[in-house]
Amino acid sequence: MPTSTEPLVQVLIRAQIGASQSKRVASNELQQFTAEEIALLTEHLSVVERKAGSSDPCGPEFNRHVGYPIWMRATLCSFLITGSAILLPMQLLASMYLLFRGRMKAIWQELPVPTLRLWEWTTGMTAFVKAPLHLVEQSIQEKAALCINRKGQFKLLTRGYTVMSYVWAEVMGWQSREGFGPVDISLRKKGIPYRHFLKFFDRCNCEWLWIDSIAMPGFLEDMNRDERQHLEEVRTVIINQLRDLVHRADKVVVLDTLMLRLETASPIDVSICVALGLWITRLWTFTEARLARKVVLRTKDAEFDLDKIIDHLDQMINNDAHRYFHLYVRLARLRKDTSGNRIRIGSPLRPGSRELNVLADIFHGTENRWAGEAIDDAKALFPILDMQWDDRWNMMEGFDHIAEAFPNNKDILAEYCYSHGLAASSQIVSGLSFYASLFQHQCRMNWSEACAVAAKFLPFLESKHHDLVEEMRGVADGAGVPFASILALNVRTEIAYGMLQSDGCTSLAWRSLDRNRSFLAQNWDWQHEQKSNLISLRIRRPKPNEEEGTEEESPVIHMITEAGIIGKIGMNSAGVGVCLNAIRAKGVKFNALPCHLALRRCMEAKSRDVAIGLLEQHGVASACHILVADAERGGMGLECSAHDIVKVMVEEGVVTHTNHYILPHDQDVEENGTWKDSPLRLKRINEMIGRRKGAGQMPSTDEIRAMLRDEQGYPTSINRHETPTSTVATLFTIVMDLNEGSAMVTLGRPTLIEETVVLEPGKA
């Protein structure tokens, strides 16, 4: 990033805008704005209280809802009964008076209003909003929108309703009382608390509202296969009707947390906030804006027509050097084609449109946008293209059908796939810059020297792990960087021979004694500069059997990693997961697996024992601790060095580790300094597990997250914070439920969550 944008980035970060988004927008849409100008804009942003997982003013606080205790329910009930008892004699007297005056209509229309309001207020305190499944199915049959009004009543409409467009994590989200994480299933079965529903309904300024999270029922963990399949079919039909559903709406109202903080009537300020918010970064919101007849942007106390804002910008710019030009382009792609003409959505898509460069418009419009699930990169295009999605398809099958429907646009489609598949290229370049600086500062080693050390692994990797070498070459080609740099990135732990300051982490595996639940988790602590270069990486490919010259099916891998590194912390579709603890010890072995590639090989295994056998067969090149677990047998730790691998056996279902050796090793193994807090963190995590086991508690996602939030020994605690002498802090927390086949990753310190990612390797 050019140094000239750094002051602007800092202004945006202080305004509670994410670091990654701040850097991207500062280098693009706001490249001709000064930090001082944007600072004036941020003065018009109301400050919101920072809560874990909360994005006021719209959410996602609803999942912090906890049922009222008995005394509170008794109080509400007493209030209702007392209020009704007080009102009743007054209403009887009033009815007699009205009867005497002959005002019969007022007796049944006006007199009951106070009692009804009292009942509505009391029941609203505990009510939930959820669409009955039979109404959802009826809406599909009638091809109507299942809408809801302020009272929580449902109605099927084909006209006269509003669509709410939002980022799910901002308005809804999964937020427990303690921090971000899955909410108790009993609460999700009830729906959305009515009080939270009103927080966003009242901002849409309409009578009837269509909201996808209400009209499209979500999956629940206790559903059986048939129930999930039926629900998937229902959701697919709604997506296939989305084109007409959105286009028939009177308007689409955009609720973006950043815009809802804006207290100015300037269209320029609004357009800047749109570019900075999360709403414009999502693929599904692009689809909704593209299909809408009218898009309304809500601010704190006003609303703006997006088309009028785009026209206003268009009138102000006279060439592509104008300071508003990049801002205009970003917004115009929501509503105009590449020629600058307003998009007119017809239904169905006119046959002639398939011969136009429709995909070129979409390709440019979806730049720097993404979806929560990889399959949605394809699925989100289908409503725009007036095509029908099939719930049996995977992402690539979806793209294949688009290619068949638009044979003249295959090159554009390939470019779209390429750009979305290689969205991490800028993060790879940033990561290379980070490690080049780190090696120079801590080891007095320039990047060329680091690459030379990394090249010593090539003979072994080429002969024994050629597929990994080819994959790294592909990453290098996609990112436009030398292969030697990607190789160095993947063996960065081994390059410095133990001289590099290691990442500090706390990891644990906990399997219930009844063997029904197996969890694997850790906090990953590293220098904060690398946080923006973390990515969620999903890998599906056959694994070569070089001895037999064939290919065999390999489990799907889903992990959180540093961009450019092809193996780190995560799990696979067979229920095998891995965690990593760095250890500083001298020595490196160039004919063994570097630790990050060892992690990758573990995630290709179909069981814990197979993964361990692979590492024992090939060896690990340097010092580290790898914690491997699966759903069947739980966890086992492997303390690795250039000379040996020592197993850390499970004790009563638990394995824990931090950043030092806890078992004896070969006499040639020499630790090169230990984090002073490492033994303290290990002792603390064992104490917390022991206390819970002593109380008879079983392992659960919530209990493990609570332990990883621990701050005893702050700032060098399990939940680590930067210190005056170190920029190392907890960058992400991961908890894997190996039986469920999913993991929740939260970025940032677990008490100050910035973003969440769900890993689901078994999901198409």
Side-chain angles (χ1 to χ4, degrees):
M1 184 183 68
T3 55
S4 59
T5 65
E6 183 61 29
L8 177 54
V9 170
Q10 294 306 315
V11 168
L12 296 174
I13 291 175
R14 285 196 295 271
Q16 301 176 330
I17 298 165
S20 298
Q21 181 73 342
S22 297
K23 291 177 182 179
R24 192 199 64 75
V25 178
S27 301
N28 292 281
E29 289 89 333
L30 302 185
Q31 60 181 267
Q32 297 192 53
F33 287 78
T34 66
E36 290 75 17
E37 289 172 325
I38 301 302
L40 291 174
L41 164 65
T42 61
E43 291 179 1
H44 297 288
L45 294 174
S46 59
V47 179
V48 297
E49 180 184 355
R50 299 293 296 191
K51 304 176 192 174
S54 177
S55 297
D56 276 334
C58 267
E61 288 189 305
F62 84 88
N63 278 330
R64 306 179 105 196
H65 175 87
V66 176
Y68 292 111
I70 294 177
W71 68 267
M72 179 67 79
R73 292 199 296 270
T75 301
L76 287 172
C77 184
S78 300
F79 182 79
L80 178 61
I81 294 172
T82 303
S84 300
I86 293 173
L87 287 170
L88 183 59
M90 298 172 61
Q91 289 170 322
L92 286 173
L93 289 173
S95 64
M96 293 173 63
Y97 173 77
L98 292 171
L99 184 63
F100 176 75
R101 297 293 299 270
R103 296 178 58 186
M104 303 297 295
K105 189 175 181 181
I107 294 176
W108 59 271
Q109 279 192 343
E110 300 176 18
L111 203 58
V113 169
T115 302
L116 291 174
R117 292 278 172 84
L118 177 63
W119 277 84
E120 287 177 1
W121 179 84
T122 307
T123 55
M125 295 287 287
T126 55
F128 286 79
V129 173
K130 184 177 181 180
L133 185 57
H134 74 273
L135 274 183
V136 176
E137 294 170 336
Q138 185 180 343
S139 72
I140 291 172
Q141 294 169 359
E142 298 183 16
K143 296 184 178 180
L146 178 56
C147 302
I148 188 170
N149 65 10
R150 196 181 190 280
K151 295 181 178 180
Q153 299 168 330
F154 290 97
K155 189 174 184 179
L156 301 181
L157 296 171
T158 56
R159 288 286 186 272
Y161 61 91
T162 295
V163 169
M164 188 175 90
S165 182
Y166 63 101
V167 176
W168 190 85
E170 283 194 323
V171 176
M172 303 296 182
W174 276 14
Q175 174 63 47
S176 64
R177 290 188 73 190
E178 293 79 15
F180 200 96
V183 181
D184 185 85
I185 189 172
S186 62
L187 176 58
R188 281 182 282 136
K189 283 182 175 180
K190 295 178 182 178
I192 302 172
Y194 179 68
R195 287 176 298 162
H196 181 77
F197 163 76
L198 292 180
K199 288 177 68 177
F200 53 81
F201 184 93
D202 288 344
R203 287 178 166 85
C204 292
N205 190 26
C206 65
E207 181 180 3
W208 293 98
L209 185 64
W210 187 87
I211 311 168
D212 59 0
S213 57
I214 293 178
M216 296 176 65
F219 296 105
L220 297 170
E221 295 89 327
D222 62 353
M223 288 179 172
N224 59 40
R225 183 188 298 272
D226 291 339
E227 290 173 329
R228 293 182 68 87
Q229 179 60 35
H230 176 65
L231 208 57
E232 183 64 48
E233 292 170 357
V234 168
R235 291 169 62 89
T236 298
V237 176
I238 295 174
I239 289 172
N240 288 335
Q241 295 178 356
L242 192 65
R243 179 183 179 88
D244 289 338
L245 190 152
V246 174
H247 184 62
R248 288 197 306 254
D250 295 339
K251 60 185 177 182
V252 168
V253 175
V254 175
L255 297 187
D256 179 273
T257 295
L258 185 65
M259 283 193 289
L260 290 172
R261 293 168 48 199
L262 185 64
E263 301 173 313
T264 174
S266 165
I268 301 300
D269 289 350
V270 173
S271 62
I272 291 173
C273 278
V274 174
L276 286 168
L278 286 183
W279 178 82
I280 204 168
T281 67
R282 298 303 197 262
L283 269 175
W284 282 111
T285 57
F286 170 79
T287 299
E288 291 160 351
R290 197 82 166 184
L291 296 175
R293 288 192 288 175
K294 179 180 181 180
V295 179
V296 173
L297 307 174
R298 282 291 306 179
T299 61
K300 186 172 183 178
D301 47 20
E303 60 181 40
F304 296 82
D305 188 322
L306 177 59
D307 289 333
K308 292 182 179 179
I309 287 182
I310 293 171
D311 291 341
H312 178 73
L313 290 171
D314 192 12
Q315 293 168 8
M316 297 184 70
I317 60 177
N318 48 30
N319 55 58
D320 59 9
H322 194 279
R323 65 199 307 253
Y324 294 158
F325 177 76
H326 295 285
L327 194 60
Y328 163 76
V329 169
R330 181 67 164 158
L331 270 62
R333 285 172 175 169
L334 291 164
R335 306 287 289 163
K336 294 184 176 183
D337 60 25
T338 50
S339 301
N341 299 315
R342 181 84 71 225
I343 295 168
R344 302 297 179 187
I345 295 295
S347 185
L349 187 69
R350 296 185 302 276
S353 299
R354 296 190 184 276
E355 301 304 319
L356 301 174
N357 216 357
V358 176
L359 289 183
D361 292 336
I362 293 175
F363 169 70
H364 293 296
T366 57
E367 185 180 3
N368 293 316
R369 298 177 189 274
W370 64 90
E373 299 288 342
I375 195 171
D376 287 347
D377 283 347
K379 193 184 294 185
L381 303 184
F382 274 63
I384 303 176
L385 298 174
D386 195 19
M387 295 179 64
Q388 298 291 295
W389 181 264
D390 191 316
D391 61 272
R392 295 168 295 182
W393 293 344
N394 59 30
M395 178 180 69
M396 293 312 300
E397 288 171 327
F399 283 132
D400 287 343
H401 282 80
I402 294 176
E404 291 174 7
F406 293 84
N408 296 334
N409 293 168
K410 286 184 178 180
D411 290 343
I412 293 294
L413 180 61
E415 195 172 354
Y416 173 90
C417 298
Y418 185 82
S419 66
H420 280 253
L422 298 173
S425 59
S426 62
Q427 292 166 291
I428 292 173
V429 174
S430 177
L432 291 173
S433 176
F434 166 77
Y435 280 110
S437 174
L438 196 68
F439 282 129
Q440 183 67 52
H441 176 69
Q442 293 193 6
C443 310
R444 298 295 184 264
M445 179 186 291
N446 62 40
W447 192 244
S448 297
E449 293 170 330
C451 291
V453 173
K456 295 181 180 181
F457 283 99
L458 260 184
F460 167 75
L461 294 175
E462 286 278 16
S463 63
K464 299 293 185 181
H465 304 278
H466 182 71
D467 58 316
L468 297 184
V469 175
E470 288 305 302
E471 185 170 333
M472 286 186 282
R473 291 189 191 279
V475 172
D477 291 342
V481 300
F483 164 71
S485 291
I486 295 299
L487 178 62
L489 199 59
N490 279 271
V491 302
R492 56 105 167 163
T493 303
E494 287 73 21
I495 287 175
Y497 301 92
M499 292 185 294
L500 190 67
Q501 181 189 34
S502 59
D503 7 345
C505 312
T506 304
S507 64
L508 66 98
W510 188 358
R511 186 187 184 208
S512 61
L513 296 179
D514 62 7
R515 302 182 179 181
N516 289 330
R517 302 303 296 274
S518 181
F519 293 90
L520 182 64
Q522 84 166 84
N523 278 353
W524 188 66
D525 308 337
W526 192 218
Q527 299 199 32
H528 70 88
E529 294 95 333
Q530 191 64 349
K531 179 167 58 178
S532 61
N533 298 324
L534 291 170
I535 63 169
S536 166
L537 182 62
R538 185 185 180 91
I539 300 172
R540 179 197 293 270
R541 66 181 179 86
K543 180 178 180 294
N545 187 326
E546 297 179 356
E547 294 181 0
E548 300 180 8
T550 60
E551 288 187 335
E552 56 189 24
E553 186 65 21
S554 181
V556 178
I557 297 169
H558 207 171
M559 62 179 158
I560 188 82
T561 185
E562 297 164 270
I565 295 180
I566 63 173
K568 203 168 183 70
I569 298 162
M571 64 187 300
N572 67 24
S573 55
V576 178
V578 290
C579 290
L580 172 68
N581 299 95
I583 295 176
R584 294 183 66 183
K586 296 179 180 179
V588 64
K589 188 177 181 180
F590 292 107
N591 61 344
L593 277 168
C595 73
H596 283 90
L597 300 185
L599 292 167
R600 169 58 180 272
R601 283 301 190 220
C602 287
M603 284 186 283
E604 292 176 348
K606 295 183 178 179
S607 72
R608 182 200 74 175
D609 292 345
V610 171
I612 293 171
L614 286 170
L615 300 193
E616 291 178 327
Q617 175 187 351
H618 295 287
V620 178
S622 65
C624 64
H625 170 258
I626 295 176
L627 183 53
V628 191
D630 65 12
E632 182 68 24
R633 304 199 61 186
M636 180 178 289
L638 301 172
E639 287 191 342
C640 306
S641 75
H643 304 281
D644 61 6
I645 296 177
V646 179
K647 295 180 179 177
V648 182
M649 306 302 292
V650 63
E651 293 184 10
E652 296 184 351
V654 174
V655 181
T656 59
H657 215 283
T658 50
N659 302 104
H660 65 285
Y661 287 133
I662 61 177
L663 295 175
H665 281 257
D666 186 283
Q667 62 180 1
D668 293 327
V669 177
E670 179 184 355
E671 282 196 74
N672 190 22
T674 299
W675 289 58
K676 293 180 180 179
D677 54 88
S678 182
L680 300 176
R681 285 185 282 116
L682 182 63
K683 179 182 178 182
R684 177 59 177 163
I685 194 71
N686 285 330
E687 286 176 351
M688 289 190 289
I689 293 175
R691 188 184 312 126
R692 284 165 170 78
K693 292 181 69 176
Q697 292 181 340
M698 303 293 278
S700 69
T701 298
D702 289 343
E703 287 297 329
I704 292 172
R705 285 199 171 280
M707 291 189 289
L708 294 176
R709 287 194 294 268
D710 185 77
E711 293 185 323
Q712 181 172 302
Y714 181 91
T716 58
S717 47
I718 291 173
N719 176 9
R720 194 179 190 90
H721 195 275
E722 297 174 27
T723 69
T725 58
S726 172
T727 59
V728 174
T730 297
L731 299 192
F732 73 79
T733 300
I734 180 169
V735 179
M736 304 176 227
D737 186 333
L738 301 177
N739 295 86
E740 291 292 333
S742 65
M744 181 76 72
V745 182
T746 54
L747 301 181
R749 298 182 64 236
T751 48
L752 193 61
I753 295 167
E754 302 170 11
E755 190 178 350
T756 186
V757 177
V758 178
L759 307 184
E760 293 180 299
K763 190 172 182 179

